[in-house]
């Protein structure tokens, strides 16, 4: 069922290819075509406004979506939802009509210098037409052209439905670090809607006690001088003043080593989980040691640098990797990957099985997980050092970045022990 919140007088194009005017008129057998990604064209007109249902124009000089009706229909304007997450709104576009084989821009349909992901255009004059084209010449190779939804309507529509990606521009917006701040590092937030001189306060979340105050400059608020924060206390930024309504940030905390204490173990555990084939999900998208890895990714060098910087931290972590159990699971004749894993899963599976068969294991079962991961990455490439460049072709070859992994490993070897 098409979402009820869509306009009472909107022209809806559903995934089944049926165009329906809410006041009762309907047209079947709509045709939707596109400049590229033809199999996705219908996603721009399926009544769903989301990142999971969108048309993506491939790199090129221009992009278009063409809608054909079996008979002429009245169209007065359109709503366009574009972008991805909270970014990449289409900067400029227009709608065009075919006049004697030439596409001409419809008066009132042109938009430029756009930054909003949900916009409406009114045609200067309602038109009766059998086909209409959405057109943009925004370079797709610089910023992907993504259309979540295009909604055409035949008369004055209701207000735009709420777009979850759209910012409330009537309220001061304060964007802080998602988790918190290191006390002795710069502590700042962004305030994109607040003019220079707007006052802000750092307040305790439970009591609203003001702990620090300052003013916004160039869209940024700086509270680096606030050095009396309590590590187990939640804070917020409160912005107020001017024509906008007061706004509050999300919660955050401040401590001497906050980012290290709250993120390092989580990031490292993630690296354990996403090992290709041997991790928590037996896939390997790029055919490399880690599931989403490629020849240019930096896993082993990163692990080496992390371990050398914080050896006591990693030595004290509880061990999660069970080499013997992982080996038994992957070498089991009954072991299988998901049917729809990825095009290079078989290559990675063969490499992982050779790793467990051919590479000498670590001498002790009690080895920090980070050292086991370094062994894993280097051992994988010792078995098969060739990778592919997905942007060029699917040939596997030895890349210089892979060689760098071995340089980092050799540098760290004296510190890794026997």
């Amino acid at each position: 069922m098409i979402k009820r919140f869509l306009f009472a007088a909107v022209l809806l194009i559903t995934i089944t290819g049926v165009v329906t005017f809410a006041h009762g008129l309907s047209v079947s057998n709509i045709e939707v075509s596109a400049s590229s990604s033809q199999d996705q064209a219908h996603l721009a007109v399926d009544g769903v406004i989301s990142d999971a249902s969108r048309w993506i124009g491939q790199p090129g000089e221009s992009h278009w979506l063409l809608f054909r009706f079996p008979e002429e229909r009245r169209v007065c304007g359109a709503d366009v939802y574009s972008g991805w997450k909270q970014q990449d709104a289409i900067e400029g576009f227009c709608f065009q009509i075919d006049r004697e084989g030439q596409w001409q821009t419809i008066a009132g349909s042109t938009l430029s210098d756009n930054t909003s992901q949900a916009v409406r255009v009114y045609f200067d004059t309602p038109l009766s037409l059998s086909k209409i084209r959405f057109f943009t010449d925004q370079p797709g190779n610089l910023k992907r052209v993504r259309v979540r939804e295009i909604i055409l309507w035949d008369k004055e529509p209701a207000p735009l439905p709420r777009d979850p990606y759209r910012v409330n521009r009537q309220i001061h917006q304060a964007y802080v670090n998602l988790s918190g701040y290191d006390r002795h590092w710069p502590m700042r937030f962004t305030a994109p809607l607040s003019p220079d001189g707007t006052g802000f306060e750092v307040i305790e979340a439970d009591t609203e006690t003001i702990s620090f105050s300052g003013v916004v400059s160039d869209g940024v608020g700086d509270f680096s001088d606030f050095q009396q924060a309590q590590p187990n206390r939640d804070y917020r930024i409160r912005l107020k003043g001017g024509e906008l309504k007061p706004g509050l940030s999300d919660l955050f905390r401040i401590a001497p080593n906050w980012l290290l204490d709250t993120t390092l173990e989580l990031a490292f555990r993630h690296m354990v989980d996403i090992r290709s084939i041997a991790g928590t999900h037996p896939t390997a998208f790029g055919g490399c040691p880690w599931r989403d890895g490629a020849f240019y990714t930096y896993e082993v060098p990163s692990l080496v640098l992390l371990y050398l910087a914080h050896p006591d931290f990693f030595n004290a972590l509880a061990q999660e990797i069970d080499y013997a159990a992982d080996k038994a699971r992957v070498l089991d004749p009954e072991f299988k990957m998901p049917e729809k894993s990825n095009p290079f899963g078989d290559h990675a599976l063969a490499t992982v099985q050779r790793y467990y068969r051919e590479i000498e294991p670590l001498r002790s079962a009690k080895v920090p997980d980070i050292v086991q991961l370094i062994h894993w990455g280097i051992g994988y490439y010792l078995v098969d050092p060739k990778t592919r460049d997905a942007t060029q072709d699917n040939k596997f070859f030895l890349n210089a970045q892979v060689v760098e992994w071995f340089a980092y490993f050799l540098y760290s070897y004296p510190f890794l022990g026997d």
Side-chain angles (χ1 to χ4, degrees):
M1 179 177 180
I2 296 174
K3 293 184 177 180
R4 296 179 181 177
F5 65 73
L6 295 175
F7 317 134
V10 171
L11 172 67
L12 296 179
I13 307 177
T14 71
I15 195 169
T16 60
V18 176
V19 181
T20 303
F21 287 95
H23 62 267
L25 298 177
S26 66
V27 183
S28 60
N29 301 321
I30 182 70
E31 294 181 12
V32 184
S33 57
S35 55
S36 62
S37 304
Q38 289 286 347
D39 59 330
Q40 299 175 354
H42 69 281
L43 297 177
V45 288
D46 63 354
V48 178
I49 304 171
S50 79
D51 280 344
S53 174
R54 68 190 191 277
W55 173 75
I56 304 176
Q58 297 304 309
E61 295 182 356
S62 61
H63 308 268
W64 50 262
L65 286 161
L66 174 61
F67 314 122
R68 296 176 181 268
F69 311 115
E71 58 185 18
E72 289 193 349
R73 287 297 172 187
R74 185 175 187 267
V75 179
C76 301
D79 296 305
V80 177
Y81 294 84
S82 68
W84 175 69
K85 293 187 177 180
Q86 299 181 27
Q87 60 195 23
D88 291 354
I90 296 177
E91 296 172 0
F93 64 81
C94 68
F95 285 86
Q96 299 176 329
I97 187 172
D98 184 4
R99 296 192 186 280
E100 299 180 353
Q102 297 294 323
W103 288 107
Q104 296 183 6
T105 299
I106 298 172
S109 73
T110 300
L111 192 72
S112 59
D113 299 323
N114 174 56
T115 59
S116 177
Q117 294 182 316
V119 293
R120 169 171 291 165
V121 293
Y122 295 91
F123 300 167
D124 287 356
T125 303
L127 299 172
S128 181
L129 47 81
S130 60
K131 59 183 176 181
I132 185 171
R133 187 170 83 160
F134 169 84
F135 177 84
T136 176
D137 57 5
Q138 176 172 302
N141 59 335
L142 297 178
K143 186 180 292 183
R144 284 293 188 96
V145 173
R146 300 174 172 92
V147 177
R148 292 192 182 105
E149 194 74 11
I150 293 178
I151 302 173
L152 305 170
W153 32 272
D154 70 325
K155 63 181 181 180
E156 184 72 17
L160 280 166
R162 188 183 73 84
D163 182 354
Y165 299 95
R166 199 175 189 188
V167 172
N168 186 339
R169 296 181 176 274
Q170 308 303 314
I171 300 174
H172 286 289
Q173 301 289 330
Y175 299 111
V176 297
N177 283 2
L178 290 177
S179 167
Y181 296 85
D182 284 345
R183 177 180 295 162
H184 302 296
W185 286 25
M187 296 186 291
R188 302 182 180 118
F189 67 93
T190 56
L193 304 182
S194 305
D196 285 0
T198 299
F200 73 85
E201 299 163 341
V202 180
I203 62 173
E204 295 183 10
D206 54 351
T207 65
E208 297 193 4
T209 301
I210 300 173
S211 301
F212 184 87
S213 60
V215 296
V216 171
S217 176
D218 292 330
V220 175
D222 191 321
F223 55 103
S224 303
D225 291 335
F226 177 40
Q227 295 295 314
Q228 292 75 44
Q230 301 301 311
N232 297 317
R233 190 163 296 168
D234 291 325
Y235 293 91
R236 290 185 188 271
I237 300 295
R238 181 166 60 195
L239 279 166
K240 59 183 180 179
E243 298 180 358
L244 300 180
K245 297 178 181 179
L248 288 172
S249 74
D250 291 327
L251 297 172
F252 61 89
R253 290 190 175 187
I254 302 172
N257 297 299
W258 179 263
L259 295 179
L260 181 67
D261 293 343
T262 58
T263 64
L264 184 55
E265 182 176 356
L266 292 175
F268 172 71
R269 298 297 187 193
H270 178 68
M271 295 298 295
V272 173
D273 293 341
I274 63 169
R275 288 170 294 157
S276 293
I277 311 300
T280 55
H281 193 265
T283 56
F285 182 80
C288 296
W290 279 269
R291 283 204 300 261
D292 289 326
F295 73 90
Y296 49 78
T297 51
Y298 207 64
E299 290 90 347
V300 162
S302 296
L303 292 168
V304 166
L305 294 176
L306 283 173
Y307 186 58
L308 296 185
H310 307 286
D312 293 340
F313 173 85
F314 287 105
N315 290 338
L317 284 181
Q319 186 173 332
E320 285 188 345
I321 296 177
D322 187 330
Y323 176 91
D326 290 341
K327 177 179 180 179
R329 179 170 62 93
V330 171
L331 296 183
D332 189 327
E334 300 298 321
F335 177 82
K336 293 181 180 180
M337 293 187 302
E339 292 183 4
K340 296 182 179 180
S341 56
N342 56 81
F344 300 100
D346 292 340
H347 170 88
L349 177 58
T351 304
V352 169
Q353 290 175 336
R354 287 183 60 195
Y355 163 81
Y356 282 113
R357 290 191 179 109
E358 300 175 17
I359 299 299
E360 182 181 355
L362 292 164
R363 298 180 182 178
S364 171
K366 299 296 183 181
V367 176
D369 281 351
I370 192 167
V371 176
Q372 293 203 56
L373 284 189
I374 295 171
H375 182 277
W376 161 265
I378 292 298
Y380 186 104
Y381 278 146
L382 279 172
V383 169
D384 188 352
K386 295 182 180 181
T387 59
R388 69 184 182 95
D389 182 353
T391 64
Q392 301 295 327
D393 54 45
N394 292 330
K395 295 180 180 179
F396 284 76
F397 58 96
L398 179 61
N399 286 282
Q401 289 91 330
V402 173
V403 177
E404 289 181 8
W405 283 34
F406 291 89
Y408 275 87
F409 169 69
L410 291 174
Y411 173 77
S412 67
Y413 189 79
F415 303 94
L416 298 180
D418 296 330

